[in-house]
mmCIF file with all atom_site columns, all heavy atoms in Angstrom:
data_model
loop_
_atom_site.group_PDB
_atom_site.id
_atom_site.type_symbol
_atom_site.label_atom_id
_atom_site.label_alt_id
_atom_site.label_comp_id
_atom_site.label_asym_id
_atom_site.label_entity_id
_atom_site.label_seq_id
_atom_site.pdbx_PDB_ins_code
_atom_site.Cartn_x
_atom_site.Cartn_y
_atom_site.Cartn_z
_atom_site.occupancy
_atom_site.B_iso_or_equiv
_atom_site.pdbx_formal_charge
_atom_site.auth_seq_id
_atom_site.auth_comp_id
_atom_site.auth_asym_id
_atom_site.auth_atom_id
_atom_site.pdbx_PDB_model_num
ATOM 1   N N   . ALA A 1 11 ? 78.915 69.777 77.608 1.00 92.00 ? 11 ALA A N   1
ATOM 2   C CA  . ALA A 1 11 ? 78.681 70.285 76.286 1.00 92.00 ? 11 ALA A CA  1
ATOM 3   C C   . ALA A 1 11 ? 79.969 70.553 75.661 1.00 92.00 ? 11 ALA A C   1
ATOM 4   O O   . ALA A 1 11 ? 80.161 70.201 74.364 1.00 92.00 ? 11 ALA A O   1
ATOM 5   C CB  . ALA A 1 11 ? 77.852 71.597 76.348 1.00 92.00 ? 11 ALA A CB  1
ATOM 6   N N   . ILE A 1 12 ? 80.921 71.132 76.234 1.00 92.00 ? 12 ILE A N   1
ATOM 7   C CA  . ILE A 1 12 ? 82.242 71.359 75.759 1.00 92.00 ? 12 ILE A CA  1
ATOM 8   C C   . ILE A 1 12 ? 83.029 70.134 75.385 1.00 92.00 ? 12 ILE A C   1
ATOM 9   O O   . ILE A 1 12 ? 83.609 70.052 74.233 1.00 92.00 ? 12 ILE A O   1
ATOM 10  C CB  . ILE A 1 12 ? 83.209 72.152 76.706 1.00 92.00 ? 12 ILE A CB  1
ATOM 11  C CG1 . ILE A 1 12 ? 82.461 73.502 77.086 1.00 92.00 ? 12 ILE A CG1 1
ATOM 12  C CG2 . ILE A 1 12 ? 84.559 72.541 76.017 1.00 92.00 ? 12 ILE A CG2 1
ATOM 13  C CD1 . ILE A 1 12 ? 82.234 74.475 76.038 1.00 92.00 ? 12 ILE A CD1 1
ATOM 14  N N   . LYS A 1 13 ? 82.979 69.139 76.153 1.00 92.00 ? 13 LYS A N   1
ATOM 15  C CA  . LYS A 1 13 ? 83.642 67.808 75.934 1.00 92.00 ? 13 LYS A CA  1
ATOM 16  C C   . LYS A 1 13 ? 83.028 67.231 74.623 1.00 92.00 ? 13 LYS A C   1
ATOM 17  O O   . LYS A 1 13 ? 83.719 66.744 73.801 1.00 92.00 ? 13 LYS A O   1
ATOM 18  C CB  . LYS A 1 13 ? 83.366 66.876 77.085 1.00 92.00 ? 13 LYS A CB  1
ATOM 19  C CG  . LYS A 1 13 ? 84.071 67.255 78.415 1.00 92.00 ? 13 LYS A CG  1
ATOM 20  C CD  . LYS A 1 13 ? 83.678 66.236 79.409 1.00 92.00 ? 13 LYS A CD  1
ATOM 21  C CE  . LYS A 1 13 ? 84.169 66.698 80.820 1.00 92.00 ? 13 LYS A CE  1
ATOM 22  N NZ  . LYS A 1 13 ? 83.678 65.759 81.897 1.00 92.00 ? 13 LYS A NZ  1
ATOM 23  N N   . GLN A 1 14 ? 81.754 67.279 74.431 1.00 93.00 ? 14 GLN A N   1
ATOM 24  C CA  . GLN A 1 14 ? 81.008 66.696 73.280 1.00 93.00 ? 14 GLN A CA  1
ATOM 25  C C   . GLN A 1 14 ? 81.447 67.327 72.033 1.00 93.00 ? 14 GLN A C   1
ATOM 26  O O   . GLN A 1 14 ? 81.667 66.927 71.006 1.00 93.00 ? 14 GLN A O   1
ATOM 27  C CB  . GLN A 1 14 ? 79.589 66.623 73.536 1.00 93.00 ? 14 GLN A CB  1
ATOM 28  C CG  . GLN A 1 14 ? 78.835 65.761 72.511 1.00 93.00 ? 14 GLN A CG  1
ATOM 29  C CD  . GLN A 1 14 ? 79.300 64.339 72.529 1.00 93.00 ? 14 GLN A CD  1
ATOM 30  O OE1 . GLN A 1 14 ? 79.224 63.682 73.519 1.00 93.00 ? 14 GLN A OE1 1
ATOM 31  N NE2 . GLN A 1 14 ? 79.759 63.832 71.393 1.00 93.00 ? 14 GLN A NE2 1
ATOM 32  N N   . ARG A 1 15 ? 81.524 68.732 72.210 1.00 92.00 ? 15 ARG A N   1
ATOM 33  C CA  . ARG A 1 15 ? 81.855 69.563 71.015 1.00 92.00 ? 15 ARG A CA  1
ATOM 34  C C   . ARG A 1 15 ? 83.260 69.170 70.564 1.00 92.00 ? 15 ARG A C   1
ATOM 35  O O   . ARG A 1 15 ? 83.615 69.072 69.399 1.00 92.00 ? 15 ARG A O   1
ATOM 36  C CB  . ARG A 1 15 ? 81.860 71.053 71.375 1.00 92.00 ? 15 ARG A CB  1
ATOM 37  C CG  . ARG A 1 15 ? 82.418 71.921 70.321 1.00 92.00 ? 15 ARG A CG  1
ATOM 38  C CD  . ARG A 1 15 ? 82.353 73.475 70.744 1.00 92.00 ? 15 ARG A CD  1
ATOM 39  N NE  . ARG A 1 15 ? 82.981 74.241 69.873 1.00 92.00 ? 15 ARG A NE  1
ATOM 40  C CZ  . ARG A 1 15 ? 83.136 75.692 69.923 1.00 92.00 ? 15 ARG A CZ  1
ATOM 41  N NH1 . ARG A 1 15 ? 82.661 76.133 70.972 1.00 92.00 ? 15 ARG A NH1 1
ATOM 42  N NH2 . ARG A 1 15 ? 83.864 76.391 69.084 1.00 92.00 ? 15 ARG A NH2 1
ATOM 43  N N   . LEU A 1 16 ? 84.238 68.886 71.491 1.00 93.00 ? 16 LEU A N   1
ATOM 44  C CA  . LEU A 1 16 ? 85.616 68.768 71.160 1.00 93.00 ? 16 LEU A CA  1
ATOM 45  C C   . LEU A 1 16 ? 85.652 67.328 70.555 1.00 93.00 ? 16 LEU A C   1
ATOM 46  O O   . LEU A 1 16 ? 86.439 67.057 69.522 1.00 93.00 ? 16 LEU A O   1
ATOM 47  C CB  . LEU A 1 16 ? 86.518 68.683 72.437 1.00 93.00 ? 16 LEU A CB  1
ATOM 48  C CG  . LEU A 1 16 ? 86.763 70.114 73.003 1.00 93.00 ? 16 LEU A CG  1
ATOM 49  C CD1 . LEU A 1 16 ? 87.316 70.058 74.427 1.00 93.00 ? 16 LEU A CD1 1
ATOM 50  C CD2 . LEU A 1 16 ? 87.389 71.129 72.136 1.00 93.00 ? 16 LEU A CD2 1
ATOM 51  N N   . ILE A 1 17 ? 84.904 66.269 71.145 1.00 92.00 ? 17 ILE A N   1
ATOM 52  C CA  . ILE A 1 17 ? 85.021 65.052 70.548 1.00 92.00 ? 17 ILE A CA  1
ATOM 53  C C   . ILE A 1 17 ? 84.391 64.969 69.102 1.00 92.00 ? 17 ILE A C   1
ATOM 54  O O   . ILE A 1 17 ? 84.878 64.387 68.294 1.00 92.00 ? 17 ILE A O   1
ATOM 55  C CB  . ILE A 1 17 ? 84.107 63.980 71.543 1.00 92.00 ? 17 ILE A CB  1
ATOM 56  C CG1 . ILE A 1 17 ? 84.945 63.800 72.850 1.00 92.00 ? 17 ILE A CG1 1
ATOM 57  C CG2 . ILE A 1 17 ? 83.878 62.735 70.781 1.00 92.00 ? 17 ILE A CG2 1
ATOM 58  C CD1 . ILE A 1 17 ? 84.177 63.174 73.927 1.00 92.00 ? 17 ILE A CD1 1
ATOM 59  N N   . ASN A 1 18 ? 83.327 65.715 68.902 1.00 92.00 ? 18 ASN A N   1
ATOM 60  C CA  . ASN A 1 18 ? 82.724 65.908 67.564 1.00 92.00 ? 18 ASN A CA  1
ATOM 61  C C   . ASN A 1 18 ? 83.586 66.399 66.562 1.00 92.00 ? 18 ASN A C   1
ATOM 62  O O   . ASN A 1 18 ? 83.691 65.959 65.405 1.00 92.00 ? 18 ASN A O   1
ATOM 63  C CB  . ASN A 1 18 ? 81.386 66.584 67.566 1.00 92.00 ? 18 ASN A CB  1
ATOM 64  C CG  . ASN A 1 18 ? 80.273 65.873 68.324 1.00 92.00 ? 18 ASN A CG  1
ATOM 65  O OD1 . ASN A 1 18 ? 80.347 64.617 68.621 1.00 92.00 ? 18 ASN A OD1 1
ATOM 66  N ND2 . ASN A 1 18 ? 79.265 66.589 68.844 1.00 92.00 ? 18 ASN A ND2 1
ATOM 67  N N   . SER A 1 19 ? 84.399 67.347 66.954 1.00 90.00 ? 19 SER A N   1
ATOM 68  C CA  . SER A 1 19 ? 85.317 68.018 66.008 1.00 90.00 ? 19 SER A CA  1
ATOM 69  C C   . SER A 1 19 ? 86.438 67.003 65.565 1.00 90.00 ? 19 SER A C   1
ATOM 70  O O   . SER A 1 19 ? 86.829 67.104 64.386 1.00 90.00 ? 19 SER A O   1
ATOM 71  C CB  . SER A 1 19 ? 86.055 69.170 66.720 1.00 90.00 ? 19 SER A CB  1
ATOM 72  O OG  . SER A 1 19 ? 87.005 68.775 67.650 1.00 90.00 ? 19 SER A OG  1
ATOM 73  N N   . VAL A 1 20 ? 86.813 65.991 66.362 1.00 89.00 ? 20 VAL A N   1
ATOM 74  C CA  . VAL A 1 20 ? 87.696 65.008 65.983 1.00 89.00 ? 20 VAL A CA  1
ATOM 75  C C   . VAL A 1 20 ? 87.127 63.996 65.131 1.00 89.00 ? 20 VAL A C   1
ATOM 76  O O   . VAL A 1 20 ? 87.512 63.698 63.973 1.00 89.00 ? 20 VAL A O   1
ATOM 77  C CB  . VAL A 1 20 ? 88.402 64.326 67.067 1.00 89.00 ? 20 VAL A CB  1
ATOM 78  C CG1 . VAL A 1 20 ? 89.277 63.146 66.806 1.00 89.00 ? 20 VAL A CG1 1
ATOM 79  C CG2 . VAL A 1 20 ? 89.078 65.330 68.066 1.00 89.00 ? 20 VAL A CG2 1
ATOM 80  N N   . LYS A 1 21 ? 85.918 63.596 65.478 1.00 90.00 ? 21 LYS A N   1
ATOM 81  C CA  . LYS A 1 21 ? 85.197 62.581 64.599 1.00 90.00 ? 21 LYS A CA  1
ATOM 82  C C   . LYS A 1 21 ? 84.655 63.176 63.223 1.00 90.00 ? 21 LYS A C   1
ATOM 83  O O   . LYS A 1 21 ? 84.844 62.301 62.272 1.00 90.00 ? 21 LYS A O   1
ATOM 84  C CB  . LYS A 1 21 ? 83.763 62.218 65.396 1.00 90.00 ? 21 LYS A CB  1
ATOM 85  C CG  . LYS A 1 21 ? 84.021 61.390 66.635 1.00 90.00 ? 21 LYS A CG  1
ATOM 86  C CD  . LYS A 1 21 ? 82.696 60.987 67.304 1.00 90.00 ? 21 LYS A CD  1
ATOM 87  C CE  . LYS A 1 21 ? 82.866 60.106 68.632 1.00 90.00 ? 21 LYS A CE  1
ATOM 88  N NZ  . LYS A 1 21 ? 81.560 59.894 69.205 1.00 90.00 ? 21 LYS A NZ  1
ATOM 89  N N   . GLU A 1 22 ? 84.466 64.406 63.157 1.00 89.00 ? 22 GLU A N   1
ATOM 90  C CA  . GLU A 1 22 ? 84.065 64.958 61.918 1.00 89.00 ? 22 GLU A CA  1
ATOM 91  C C   . GLU A 1 22 ? 85.225 65.604 61.080 1.00 89.00 ? 22 GLU A C   1
ATOM 92  O O   . GLU A 1 22 ? 85.003 66.284 60.195 1.00 89.00 ? 22 GLU A O   1
ATOM 93  C CB  . GLU A 1 22 ? 82.946 65.970 62.054 1.00 89.00 ? 22 GLU A CB  1
ATOM 94  C CG  . GLU A 1 22 ? 81.730 65.355 62.796 1.00 89.00 ? 22 GLU A CG  1
ATOM 95  C CD  . GLU A 1 22 ? 80.741 66.344 63.452 1.00 89.00 ? 22 GLU A CD  1
ATOM 96  O OE1 . GLU A 1 22 ? 80.997 67.752 63.091 1.00 89.00 ? 22 GLU A OE1 1
ATOM 97  O OE2 . GLU A 1 22 ? 79.777 66.077 63.988 1.00 89.00 ? 22 GLU A OE2 1
ATOM 98  N N   . ASN A 1 23 ? 86.462 65.286 61.693 1.00 87.00 ? 23 ASN A N   1
ATOM 99  C CA  . ASN A 1 23 ? 87.698 65.863 60.975 1.00 87.00 ? 23 ASN A CA  1
ATOM 100 C C   . ASN A 1 23 ? 87.589 67.364 60.674 1.00 87.00 ? 23 ASN A C   1
ATOM 101 O O   . ASN A 1 23 ? 87.904 67.897 59.752 1.00 87.00 ? 23 ASN A O   1
ATOM 102 C CB  . ASN A 1 23 ? 87.896 65.099 59.717 1.00 87.00 ? 23 ASN A CB  1
ATOM 103 C CG  . ASN A 1 23 ? 89.254 65.316 59.178 1.00 87.00 ? 23 ASN A CG  1
ATOM 104 O OD1 . ASN A 1 23 ? 90.232 65.607 59.851 1.00 87.00 ? 23 ASN A OD1 1
ATOM 105 N ND2 . ASN A 1 23 ? 89.436 65.255 57.914 1.00 87.00 ? 23 ASN A ND2 1
ATOM 106 N N   . ARG A 1 24 ? 87.157 68.062 61.865 1.00 88.00 ? 24 ARG A N   1
ATOM 107 C CA  . ARG A 1 24 ? 87.080 69.538 61.914 1.00 88.00 ? 24 ARG A CA  1
ATOM 108 C C   . ARG A 1 24 ? 87.956 70.114 62.818 1.00 88.00 ? 24 ARG A C   1
ATOM 109 O O   . ARG A 1 24 ? 87.582 71.067 63.594 1.00 88.00 ? 24 ARG A O   1
ATOM 110 C CB  . ARG A 1 24 ? 85.649 70.013 61.926 1.00 88.00 ? 24 ARG A CB  1
ATOM 111 C CG  . ARG A 1 24 ? 84.699 69.659 60.899 1.00 88.00 ? 24 ARG A CG  1
ATOM 112 C CD  . ARG A 1 24 ? 83.230 70.288 61.141 1.00 88.00 ? 24 ARG A CD  1
ATOM 113 N NE  . ARG A 1 24 ? 82.605 69.626 62.294 1.00 88.00 ? 24 ARG A NE  1
ATOM 114 C CZ  . ARG A 1 24 ? 82.471 70.214 63.483 1.00 88.00 ? 24 ARG A CZ  1
ATOM 115 N NH1 . ARG A 1 24 ? 83.005 71.387 63.752 1.00 88.00 ? 24 ARG A NH1 1
ATOM 116 N NH2 . ARG A 1 24 ? 81.791 69.572 64.391 1.00 88.00 ? 24 ARG A NH2 1
ATOM 117 N N   . VAL A 1 25 ? 89.138 69.690 62.983 1.00 86.00 ? 25 VAL A N   1
ATOM 118 C CA  . VAL A 1 25 ? 90.137 70.119 63.945 1.00 86.00 ? 25 VAL A CA  1
ATOM 119 C C   . VAL A 1 25 ? 90.837 71.369 63.400 1.00 86.00 ? 25 VAL A C   1
ATOM 120 O O   . VAL A 1 25 ? 91.680 71.369 62.502 1.00 86.00 ? 25 VAL A O   1
ATOM 121 C CB  . VAL A 1 25 ? 91.166 69.039 64.341 1.00 86.00 ? 25 VAL A CB  1
ATOM 122 C CG1 . VAL A 1 25 ? 92.154 69.480 65.393 1.00 86.00 ? 25 VAL A CG1 1
ATOM 123 C CG2 . VAL A 1 25 ? 90.471 67.895 64.844 1.00 86.00 ? 25 VAL A CG2 1
ATOM 124 N N   . SER A 1 26 ? 90.567 72.492 64.102 1.00 85.00 ? 26 SER A N   1
ATOM 125 C CA  . SER A 1 26 ? 91.106 73.777 63.667 1.00 85.00 ? 26 SER A CA  1
ATOM 126 C C   . SER A 1 26 ? 92.628 73.786 64.282 1.00 85.00 ? 26 SER A C   1
ATOM 127 O O   . SER A 1 26 ? 92.855 73.258 65.242 1.00 85.00 ? 26 SER A O   1
ATOM 128 C CB  . SER A 1 26 ? 90.475 74.981 64.265 1.00 85.00 ? 26 SER A CB  1
ATOM 129 O OG  . SER A 1 26 ? 91.137 76.151 63.918 1.00 85.00 ? 26 SER A OG  1
#
Side-chain angles (χ1 to χ4, degrees):
I12 302 296
K13 293 175 186 176
Q14 194 59 54
R15 174 182 171 181
L16 295 173
I17 290 167
N18 289 343
S19 72
V20 177
K21 290 180 178 178
E22 298 166 9
N23 197 25
R24 294 186 290 103
V25 178
S26 175

